[in-house]
Structure formats: structure tokens, C-alpha cells
Amino acid sequence: MNTLTPDPALSLDDQIDLACDRFELRWDSEAPSTIEELLQEFSDTQRDFALRELLAVELELRFKRGDLLKREDYLLRLAEYSEVVIELFDSQVEQLMVTTAPVRTSGWTPALAETGTGSALKMPERIGKYRIVAALDRGGQATVYRAIHPELGRDVVIKFCHVEKSANPDAQQALRSEGRVLASLEHTNLARVYDFDFHENRAYLVMEFIRGLNLSQFRKQTSPAPEAWIPLVRQVAEALEYVHGRGILHLDIKPQNILIDETGAPRLIDFGLARTDSMWEKSGSDPEQLAGTLAFMSPEQARCEAEAIGPRSDVFGLGGVLFYLVTGKPPIVGDSAMDAWENAKTGRWNAELLNDDCHMSIRRIIESALAGKSNERIASAGELAKQLAALEQKPSWSIRAKISACLALTVGLILSLLIARQSFQSGYAVGTPTEERVTNQIKVRVWRDGNTFDLTNSAPISSTDRVEIRSHVEAGVHLSLFMFDSEGQLQLVEAVPAASQPYEYRFPQDNSKFERIVGPAGTEFVFLCGSRKRAVTLAELNGLGPFANAWPQLPEDSVIQLRSTGVNYLQRGRGFGGGVDTLDPQQQVFDTLNVLRTMLEPFSDFVDGIAFSHIE
């Protein structure tokens, strides 16, 4: 049985990662590990490095559970490492307040896990019709999962409520009606809500999965001038005005819930706390439980005054986001979660951080949006958007903002690509040197009328054409060639054991032959999986969601490539698609390949494939 005990043969980073894994795995057990115990596994010169990671893990776990966090407690526990505690504690708690919702107001008692016994539930295999891929986050009210849409094969996000709702059909129908209202929202700067339903009497919300950095990450990686944030916050304010106009409140506006998508546009996500005005009493928050994140919470939310909560509560949150973007700090802080809660209830925020670098016009907007009394705040999200738009129109501001925003976006997109690349590379076995990682590129050639062409110059493939598949393969790599055909059948075409030397792979192996693709018209997908451990098998891939059904027919001239580093169009079809109640088949296949890329990482060191159209 594999263990997570640090191995001296591993690098220090790997040993620390494994120690953190052990710490998390045993967190809810009857005999949890402690930081002090785990530090004993490291040498004197290594312990400061290990402590930094272990302390960050424990603070996050305790904060999410609702514990009262005090620096003094850690200084007593870890007196020998007081310098590290002093350096890390405040910044770590501050970051948790930006990104994490605490659990309860009543004495800050630890929240029970989903079982109600103090132990966490196993991740469900399915919620409703959606297959669960990974847990993304857990808060006081719900756990957030990444899942696969069964028909489309694309990523979605599911927010699954911890508490069972009433089994009364009328009550559930009322909540479904609220879900339909959320699903009707369409705005450029909103994440779509796709579905709302119940699974085992627990409500779940299905939302669009957006690839990108949240504002907290984006700010840390770009740090542009204050005026660069004005267009981004203005767009979110416009989206909020649209939402408020339909009687819906968000109630958890914070940097983590605003993403910069792949086009550079801000997208407001996570309507898990959203409430329609008409449904407030039936589906609103328990008055004994906070709804939102302390660092950006309006006083009326912090005091749990349901009748006072309204659109201006979201204005407060968005004002707090602007404050954070300008200063780099959340508006409401405290020495502990309880202190932060008291500050939130009275509307005390750190105005001293709005220093001379903050232009007076931005300062006035922030101060008005963060007014403690609701009736003294900016009247609406629409009014906030107008005030920000007016700043954008000033000539000197406009030029500076555009330059700064362009620089920030460029840096941010480059960094996001680096993050994506780093995330991919982390899927390799521990200790595998970078220079030993596998690279390859699949090539599909077509034999037609006595001539050969590259697939990208000869799509679509007809039943009279012949194809060959080529790829460079490195030494020590076990290779598996798969085909997912137009009828939705996954086949293992060939498995080739690892060779001692690099070689050029060809299928079919006989150089005098090409293979014919048979069967009905549709989308075909051929792909190679390589692994240094052993060949990837058909049994490992057969249960994956993207292979559950045939994919939609691609336009005839469309060719899409899947590589371990991403998905891209080698040739894009000129079909329409994407209209009302119409799904673009190219986008569906593209999204499915992105999902598949993530799902294949545990099985292989590389994956490389091509999806293309096959006609009769």
C-alpha cells in the first residue's frame, strides 16, 4: 500500500507536499496529525520551510470550519518559530477573509461536516444526471464540484447544498421557480446558470465553468495603476444592475467571485447565495447564519437583518472589491474572525489605506459605496456604473486607464498560460525532471486519388479515402492508439510497448498500406496516449463521460487538435451555430476535448489527438 510519508530521496518541496497531504487527510479523523508532530520529520534546516506550508493549510481548514483564529495561540504553540508565525499569520488570515466565507455567527462554533458527525462525506459520483470530477471548494452552506454534463460532455460547476430541504412538493417547486429565474439571466459579464434541481432532497445549482483568473489572483500578478480597474468594476456594476432589475440579489460580491475570462472580460460568478425578492422568506438565509464573506459584507448582512438587505448590499460588496483592487487589502479586517464580524456589523473599514496614490474621484466613489448606512450609499449598481463610466470618459484618465489595462491584461493572460502549463506539468510523476517529460505531435495523412495530403489540407475524410497516423515517440514510453468513432464507440486500435530508443511510430505499420475509416458519417477522433509506467488500457477510458455518446457532427472543413498543453483549431469550419436554442457543434467538440484533456491526465504522461469530420 502506498503511503504519504516523506521520503528523504524526494526533493524538499515534494516532502513538504506529502506532509501537507497527510495533514489534510487526517484532519477529520479521531487522531489528527499536528504541525508539531510533522515538523519532527524534517531536519532543523528544513523546518522553517515546512512550517510555512503546514501553517497555511491548518489556518485554512480551521477558518472554513469556523474556528476563532488567534495569533497568540500559535505563538504559544510554536514559540520556537515565532518569526515565521508573525510573518505569515496576518497575511494568511487576511487572504482567507478575501476568498473564504466563514460558517456561523453563533459563537463561531465549528461547523459539522455533511454527515453531522464531524467527518467529511465521500465525494459523490453523481449529482442528479451530472458526473462529478473533482471538489473545488467547501463553504458553510454548500460544496462546489466540477462536473461533466452527460449529453454535451462539457465542464460545469455544481453548488450542492449541505442541508436537506423540505420534501414538500410545493416548497421544492418554489425553489425550482427561483432556479428558472436564475437560468434566464443572460449578460456578457455573468456566468450562465444552466440548471437547478434536487438530489436526495438537497438543492443543487449548475453553472457555467469559466477558465480564467479571479480578481484576487489577477491583481497579484499584474498590479496596474488604480484607474485600470475602473472599466472592469464598471462592467460588473452593469451586470449587477441587470440582475437587480430582475429582482435578484447576489450577496457575496468579492474578488474570488469575479473572474477574468479568456477574452479579458470580467465575469460575475457564484449565485449560490442569490435570492429573488419574491422568494426571500421561503428561500432566504437562516437569520442565525451569515450569508457572504466578512471582508466585503455590508453591515445589514453582518447583522442578519433580512428586511434591510437589498441591492445596496451588493453595491457595498462591489465598493469593497474596488477598494481591494486599489489598495491590495480587503476593506474589513480584524485580529480574529470575531473582530472582523464586529467591524462588519458596524461598517468599520480601513479608510487610511486610501492614500495619496488614490485619486480623489476614486476615493469619493469608494467612500460612498462603503457607507455604513444603506440610505447614504450610492443608490444602485447602475448609478455606480455611471459614476465609473464618467471617470473613464475623462481624457487624461482614459489614456492612462487604457494603457494600464492593456498592460495588465497582457501580463495576466501570459501568466494564466504559464499557470495552465504549470498545472499540466504537475500531472507528471513526482521527481520526474522537466527535461525528461514526454513531447510528441500526432500527424494524420490522407491518401486520395493516388496522392497524399495532410489532414488539415484535405478535410473532410470520405469513405473512399485512406489514412495513416504518424508520431515521434521517445524512449521508455508505452503507446496506445485509440479511436472514438462517429457511432460513439471507443476502440483500442493498437498498444505498443516502450522501446529503448526514440522511434517514428506509424499506423498501419506496413509502409505500403493506408487504413480506411468505415461506418456512418459523423465526427471521428483518433488519439495517442503515452505513459512511462505502462500502456493506457481501454478499460481505464471506457467509463469517462466524454465517451458516453457520439459527438455532434463537425462542419466538413473543421479539424480540432487535442494536446496535453491545450485544445486548438487546426482548421475552423464556417458553419453558423450558436443561435437561440442552438448549440454550435464545433464549440461542443472543443469543450468536450478540453474536459477530456483534464480527465486523461491521471492515466497518461501525454495525450495527442485530432477530431475531424467524416462524410459518406
Side-chain angles (χ1 to χ4, degrees):
M1 178 178 177
N2 292 332
T3 69
L4 296 175
T5 303
D7 182 344
L10 298 177
S11 69
L12 176 59
D13 285 345
D14 291 333
Q15 292 183 56
I16 292 173
D17 285 344
L18 291 175
C20 290
D21 288 341
R22 291 172 60 207
F23 186 78
E24 288 191 73
L25 285 172
R26 299 188 63 181
W27 175 249
D28 286 320
S29 70
E30 294 181 359
S33 298
T34 67
I35 292 177
E36 294 87 335
E37 291 170 350
L38 291 170
L39 286 178
Q40 298 308 308
E41 299 174 359
F42 295 88
S43 68
D44 291 343
T45 59
Q46 296 173 335
R47 286 176 187 165
D48 277 7
F49 299 100
L51 174 61
R52 292 171 185 274
E53 299 301 325
L54 290 166
L55 179 59
V57 171
E58 179 170 311
L59 287 173
E60 181 175 0
L61 291 169
R62 291 189 60 201
F63 189 87
K64 285 187 174 182
R65 192 172 67 182
D67 290 358
L68 180 62
L69 304 178
K70 290 185 177 181
R71 184 171 59 179
E72 293 74 18
D73 294 343
Y74 283 92
L75 288 173
L76 287 173
R77 278 180 55 189
L78 304 165
E80 184 180 350
Y81 309 97
S82 58
E83 291 184 5
V84 176
V85 173
I86 291 171
E87 176 189 346
L88 291 182
F89 185 88
D90 289 345
S91 61
Q92 182 67 19
V93 172
E94 179 182 285
Q95 180 64 15
L96 290 170
M97 288 182 176
V98 170
T99 60
T100 310
V103 181
R104 297 191 67 85
T105 64
S106 180
W108 297 100
T109 53
L112 294 178
E114 296 180 16
T115 57
T117 62
S119 61
L121 277 179
K122 181 181 178 182
M123 187 176 74
E125 293 184 4
R126 290 185 179 273
I127 295 175
K129 65 182 179 181
Y130 301 92
R131 191 171 66 80
I132 303 304
V133 175
L136 299 178
D137 197 10
R138 177 184 169 86
Q141 295 180 331
T143 299
V144 180
Y145 295 102
R146 185 172 175 178
I148 303 294
H149 190 293
E151 284 84 26
L152 303 182
R154 67 170 57 177
D155 274 343
V156 294
V157 171
I158 292 183
K159 193 155 193 176
F160 191 31
C161 187
H162 293 161
V163 181
E164 288 190 17
K165 300 295 182 181
S166 170
N168 182 289
D170 292 338
Q172 290 198 358
Q173 184 56 41
L175 286 170
R176 285 194 176 93
S177 297
E178 182 176 335
R180 283 195 290 270
V181 173
L182 293 177
S184 70
L185 299 177
E186 290 192 37
H187 191 281
T188 306
N189 302 111
L190 294 178
R192 288 296 309 271
V193 173
Y194 293 137
D195 195 4
F196 178 91
D197 210 333
F198 290 85
H199 178 76
E200 298 176 349
N201 278 338
R202 292 158 63 192
Y204 67 89
L205 196 68
V206 183
M207 296 166 281
E208 179 181 5
F209 178 80
I210 297 174
R211 294 171 179 83
L213 301 174
N214 66 47
L215 272 185
S216 178
Q217 298 165 324
F218 189 69
R219 189 197 183 282
K220 288 179 179 179
Q221 295 175 1
T222 58
S223 299
E227 55 265 26
W229 301 118
I230 295 172
L232 292 176
V233 177
R234 188 257 305 158
Q235 291 175 70
V236 178
E238 290 171 347
L240 269 178
E241 178 70 4
Y242 167 82
V243 168
H244 291 166
R246 283 149 182 78
I248 297 173
L249 307 175
H250 188 283
L251 302 183
D252 196 19
I253 306 294
K254 60 182 178 181
Q256 192 188 29
N257 281 341
I258 300 170
L259 300 184
I260 303 298
D261 68 16
E262 293 170 315
T263 71
R267 304 283 294 279
L268 180 60
I269 66 169
D270 195 358
F271 279 83
L273 294 175
R275 297 290 180 266
T276 60
D277 288 344
S278 61
M279 292 299 298
W280 178 261
E281 292 184 358
K282 294 180 181 178
S283 63
S285 301
D286 181 341
E288 293 299 316
Q289 188 167 1
L290 286 179
T293 302
L294 277 175
F296 302 89
M297 187 181 293
S298 68
E300 57 271 21
Q301 282 179 268
R303 294 192 297 263
C304 299
E305 296 172 350
E307 70 284 352
I309 295 174
R312 293 189 187 192
S313 305
D314 281 341
V315 169
F316 186 98
L318 192 53
V321 168
L322 182 56
F323 177 95
Y324 172 80
L325 293 174
V326 169
T327 67
K329 304 287 184 180
I332 299 171
V333 295
D335 293 333
S336 66
M338 181 64 79
D339 289 337
W341 180 40
E342 290 298 326
N343 289 336
K345 288 193 291 185
T346 55
R348 287 196 299 267
W349 53 277
N350 196 351
E352 294 178 0
L353 291 177
L354 294 175
N355 54 33
D356 294 338
D357 293 335
C358 179
H359 193 280
M360 185 57 67
S361 298
I362 298 181
R363 179 193 295 269
R364 282 196 294 265
I365 289 175
I366 291 174
E367 289 174 344
S368 182
L370 292 179
K373 295 181 179 179
S374 177
N375 60 359
E376 295 177 358
R377 250 173 252 156
I378 294 175
S380 67
E383 178 59 31
L384 175 58
K386 289 179 183 178
Q387 292 188 25
L388 293 170
L391 283 185
E392 288 183 74
Q393 299 308 312
K394 291 184 177 182
S396 60
W397 277 65
S398 179
I399 294 172
R400 294 203 312 269
K402 288 178 180 177
I403 293 173
S404 185
C406 286
L407 289 173
L409 180 57
T410 301
V411 173
L413 291 176
I414 290 172
L415 286 168
S416 68
L417 290 173
L418 291 175
I419 289 171
R421 178 181 175 85
Q422 182 181 19
S423 174
F424 155 69
Q425 290 176 342
S426 67
Y428 289 91
V430 172
T432 303
T434 301
E435 61 271 16
E436 292 184 9
R437 287 173 181 156
V438 182
T439 60
N440 88 301
Q441 185 166 355
I442 192 171
K443 297 288 186 182
V444 177
R445 289 203 307 160
V446 179
W447 184 89
R448 180 182 296 159
D449 299 328
N451 295 304
T452 57
F453 309 88
D454 186 86
L455 176 61
T456 54
N457 300 320
S458 53
I461 301 297
S462 74
S463 297
T464 59
D465 294 332
R466 303 289 191 272
V467 299
E468 71 163 5
I469 296 166
R470 291 181 180 266
S471 181
H472 174 78
V473 182
E474 295 184 5
V477 173
H478 301 271
L479 196 69
S480 300
L481 173 63
F482 293 93
M483 180 174 184
F484 184 63
D485 65 27
S486 59
E487 296 181 283
Q489 297 298 312
L490 179 64
Q491 310 160 36
L492 174 60
V493 178
E494 188 174 47
V496 182
S500 59
Q501 298 293 327
Y503 67 97
E504 295 301 316
Y505 171 74
R506 184 187 190 275
F507 177 83
Q509 294 183 16
D510 187 339
N511 288 329
S512 66
K513 295 181 180 179
F514 280 62
E515 285 288 329
R516 184 163 65 96
I517 295 178
V518 297
T523 293
E524 312 283 358
F525 177 51
V526 295
F527 63 104
L528 293 167
C529 287
S531 173
R532 291 191 181 278
K533 297 178 181 178
R534 56 177 176 78
V536 180
T537 67
L538 183 63
E540 289 173 314
L541 305 190
N542 248 335
L544 300 183
F547 298 133
N549 299 288
W551 296 350
Q553 172 77 62
L554 284 170
E556 291 187 357
D557 51 350
S558 180
V559 180
I560 307 177
Q561 183 173 40
L562 165 67
R563 303 199 70 191
S564 297
T565 50
V567 179
N568 63 86
Y569 289 101
L570 296 182
Q571 186 168 288
R572 189 157 189 167
R574 295 184 295 275
F576 286 100
V580 176
D581 295 328
T582 302
L583 293 171
D584 180 355
Q586 287 187 106
Q587 188 62 49
Q588 290 182 66
V589 173
F590 189 94
D591 290 345
T592 300
L593 290 173
N594 257 319
V595 173
L596 183 61
R597 180 174 66 89
T598 302
M599 298 176 70
L600 290 175
E601 285 181 1
F603 302 107
S604 59
D605 289 326
F606 78 78
V607 59
D608 198 350
I610 292 183
F612 55 91
S613 179
H614 169 213
I615 62 175
E616 294 289 357

